[in-house]
């Protein structure tokens, strides 16, 4: 089978399928790099997966039933399983557990209190942090921070480490990686033909389209498929890596989320003096410098230690947002063709559950659309 796109979703699909005994070819121009699958061609960070902060917010999702909740819970379980398996084979993906959601106003404080109560009733480790618990934290939190909810199982992993681990382990287990773009696909002798940018073609009984923002355009070119049914639009995100004057203390509560901005400690980088800050949400594919300034200053609320930190890296990437449909798009548009795209904001989290959905479809042998 062929998987088109080696972002976190495509790589997860390819790795999972290969591990389950299928013979998989993964196509993406980024795979021409060394090591493969880490940076986009030309060294630019453009796809969502290579720009993501890797915050996995499963338990803290605002719902507690339905498809989106089930995908999150399944993914959280699978990420644990996958990381253990990959570590045993020499490809560890360090996970930093703990996400602290902060309330900057009274309405948000009420919402967090209700969310925490609902999730605790399900047995999830969600601890309310009141002001007495927040105020002594050093360095200080952005203000106002009226209340917090600490989610013990949610956390963060480095998406590029995850991509590299899946690619390297997959390759050792026989996964074929090819650094080429798919330009078209067509039904062919009961399966599919994928035309490649270099002029060649590959054939397979199953094709999984996980090409981020371009997945919709590839589908639109397939005769017999309604072209506008799965439109994906880009939403750009910018992020920063900061160098702090002093390392964050070991009791820092993990990733901190304030007014939708993630403060992601990187204890593994430069003696713990690095922090990721992000991300903006900008419809389209053009970065707005003003949004970056807002992010850098937390809209004027950045505490002194954060204002004084040096920016050492700035990057951006595109999130694939489905138009008029809930994210993500896990669809079966034609016999032997699967769409695993439109992972708008939580693709790193949702990659394992998406891969499991793909494998279930293929193994159930349901060729009907
Ligand atoms: C700044 C930022 C921060 C984010 N933070 C988080 C976070 O903390 N947690 C989280 O879960 N999510 C986060 N996200 C969202 C996350 O990045 C996306 O949901 C996810 O990356 C989507 O993955 P994907 O594999 O579907 O798509 P992509 O990452 O876009 O990958 C698609 C791949 O397809 C390839 N491709 C495109 N066209 C073709 C073609 N014709 N042939 C072959 N290959 C092709 C591309 O080269 C690319 O590698 C963030 C996104 C951004 C931008």
């Amino acid at each position: 089978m062929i998987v088109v796109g080696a972002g976190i979703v495509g790589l997860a699909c390819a790795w999972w399928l290969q591990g389950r005994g299928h013979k998989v070819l993964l196509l993406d121009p980024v795979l021409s790099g060394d090591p493969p699958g880490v940076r986009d061609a030309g060294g630019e960070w453009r796809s969502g997966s290579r720009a993501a902060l890797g915050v996995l917010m499963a338990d803290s999702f605002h719902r507690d039933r339905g498809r989106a909740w089930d995908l999150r819970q399944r993914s959280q379980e699978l990420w644990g399983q996958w990381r253990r398996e990959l570590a045993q084979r020499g490809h560890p993906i360090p996970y930093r557990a703990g996400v602290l959601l902060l309330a900057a106003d009274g309405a948000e404080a009420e919402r967090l209190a209700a969310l925490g109560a609902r999730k605790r009733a399900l047995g999830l480790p969600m601890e309310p942090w009141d002001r007495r618990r927040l105020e002594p934290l050093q360095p200080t939190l952005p203000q106002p921070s009226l209340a917090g909810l600490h989610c013990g199982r949610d956390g963060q992993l480095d998406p590029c480490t995850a991509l590299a681990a899946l690619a390297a382990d997959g390759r050792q287990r026989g996964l074929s990686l090819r650094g080429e773009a798919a330009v078209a696909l067509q039904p062919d002798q009961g399966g599919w033909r994928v035309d490649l940018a270099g002029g060649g073609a590959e054939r397979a009984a199953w094709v999984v389209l996980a090409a981020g923002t371009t997945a919709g355009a590839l589908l639109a070119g397939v005769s017999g498929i309604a072209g506008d049914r799965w439109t994906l639009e880009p939403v750009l995100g910018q992020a920063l890596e900061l160098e702090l004057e002093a390392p964050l203390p070991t009791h820092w509560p993990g990733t901190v989320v304030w007014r939708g901005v993630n403060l992601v400690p990187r204890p593994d980088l430069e003696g713990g003096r690095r922090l990721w800050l992000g991300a903006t949400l900008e419809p389209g594919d053009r970065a707005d410098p003003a949004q970056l300034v807002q992010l850098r200053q937390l809209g004027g609320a950045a505490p002194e230690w954060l204002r004084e930190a040096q920016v050492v890296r700035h990057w951006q990437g595109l999130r694939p947002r489905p138009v008029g449909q809930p994210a993500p798009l896990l669809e079966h548009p034609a016999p032997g063709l699967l769409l695993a795209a439109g992972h708008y904001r939580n693709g790193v989290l949702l990659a394992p559950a998406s891969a499991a959905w793909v494998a279930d479809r293929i193994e159930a042998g349901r060729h009907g659309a």
Side-chain angles (χ1 to χ4, degrees):
M1 53 201 59
I2 298 174
V3 178
V4 180
I8 192 72
V9 175
L11 248 169
C13 291
W15 177 83
W16 183 243
L17 288 167
Q18 183 73 34
R20 293 175 69 83
H22 303 282
K23 191 172 173 314
V24 184
L25 169 65
L26 178 62
L27 294 172
D28 191 319
V30 300
L31 295 173
S32 51
D34 186 22
V38 177
R39 278 172 197 253
D40 289 32
E44 280 187 9
W45 299 70
R46 289 299 291 175
S47 73
S49 303
R50 290 158 189 88
L53 302 179
V55 181
L56 308 187
M57 295 177 64
D59 291 351
S60 50
F61 184 52
H62 62 278
R63 293 194 199 125
D64 44 42
R65 60 173 65 96
R67 172 191 182 249
W69 171 252
D70 293 344
L71 285 172
R72 279 166 174 74
Q73 291 299 301
R74 177 92 175 106
S75 265
Q76 192 174 54
E77 179 196 324
L78 284 173
W79 261 130
Q81 189 184 311
W82 289 18
R83 284 191 303 101
R84 279 192 297 278
E85 213 180 293
L86 285 160
Q88 276 164 9
R89 292 202 293 272
H91 305 288
I93 307 173
Y95 183 65
R96 293 165 276 278
V99 171
L100 176 65
L101 307 178
L102 292 173
D105 57 48
E108 216 180 338
E110 276 180 30
R111 196 184 59 74
L112 282 190
L115 178 73
R118 271 197 348 261
K119 298 295 170 85
R120 279 193 299 281
L122 298 174
L124 301 176
M126 309 277 274
E127 205 186 336
W129 283 27
D130 62 13
R131 285 174 91 151
R132 270 175 311 172
R133 181 110 190 236
L134 297 175
E135 271 167 13
L137 267 185
Q138 291 297 331
T140 52
L141 296 170
Q143 293 302 320
S145 287
L146 305 183
L149 180 64
H150 190 262
C151 316
R153 295 201 311 174
D154 290 352
Q156 189 263 348
L157 52 77
D158 186 327
C160 287
T161 305
L163 288 165
L166 292 170
D169 187 66
R171 218 160 36 164
Q172 281 167 4
R173 298 207 289 171
L175 173 64
S176 303
L177 307 177
R178 167 110 45 105
E180 229 180 317
V183 290
L185 52 147
Q186 290 302 336
D188 181 67
Q189 298 168 24
W192 290 86
R193 192 190 74 225
V194 179
D195 294 333
L196 305 176
E202 288 288 343
R203 289 173 175 79
W206 284 90
V207 171
V208 180
L209 266 186
T213 47
T214 29
L218 279 169
L219 258 188
V222 180
S223 49
I225 292 186
D228 55 356
R229 187 151 164 219
W230 292 289
T231 307
L232 294 157
E233 60 185 14
V235 175
L236 186 136
Q238 303 188 69
L240 295 167
E241 182 169 315
L242 305 175
E243 173 139 319
L244 311 177
E245 217 149 73
L248 286 173
T250 47
H251 64 268
W252 187 258
T255 293
V256 168
V257 185
W258 188 86
R259 290 208 156 129
V261 176
N262 296 311
L263 286 77
V264 183
R266 292 303 310 260
D268 52 327
L269 300 179
E270 301 296 325
R273 288 172 61 221
R274 293 287 166 93
L275 178 101
W276 284 358
L277 187 67
T280 61
L281 274 175
E282 307 174 40
D285 58 5
R286 290 269 172 109
D288 176 0
Q291 293 243 18
L292 190 66
V293 173
Q294 277 287 104
L295 171 71
R296 173 74 186 91
Q297 299 173 350
L298 285 185
E304 197 180 344
W305 63 273
L306 204 53
R307 284 200 310 271
E308 286 176 354
Q310 297 290 316
V311 174
V312 290
R313 200 157 63 89
H314 160 226
W315 67 94
Q316 62 197 44
L318 300 180
R319 306 173 180 87
R321 179 162 68 181
V323 177
Q325 300 207 49
L329 297 175
L330 298 174
E331 300 281 348
H332 194 164
L337 180 62
L338 296 175
L339 178 63
H343 293 71
Y344 167 43
R345 290 189 74 179
N346 289 286
V348 182
L349 168 65
L350 296 175
S354 305
W357 178 88
V358 162
D360 287 351
R361 278 287 160 144
I362 290 174
E363 288 163 13
R366 281 184 243 152
H367 274 251

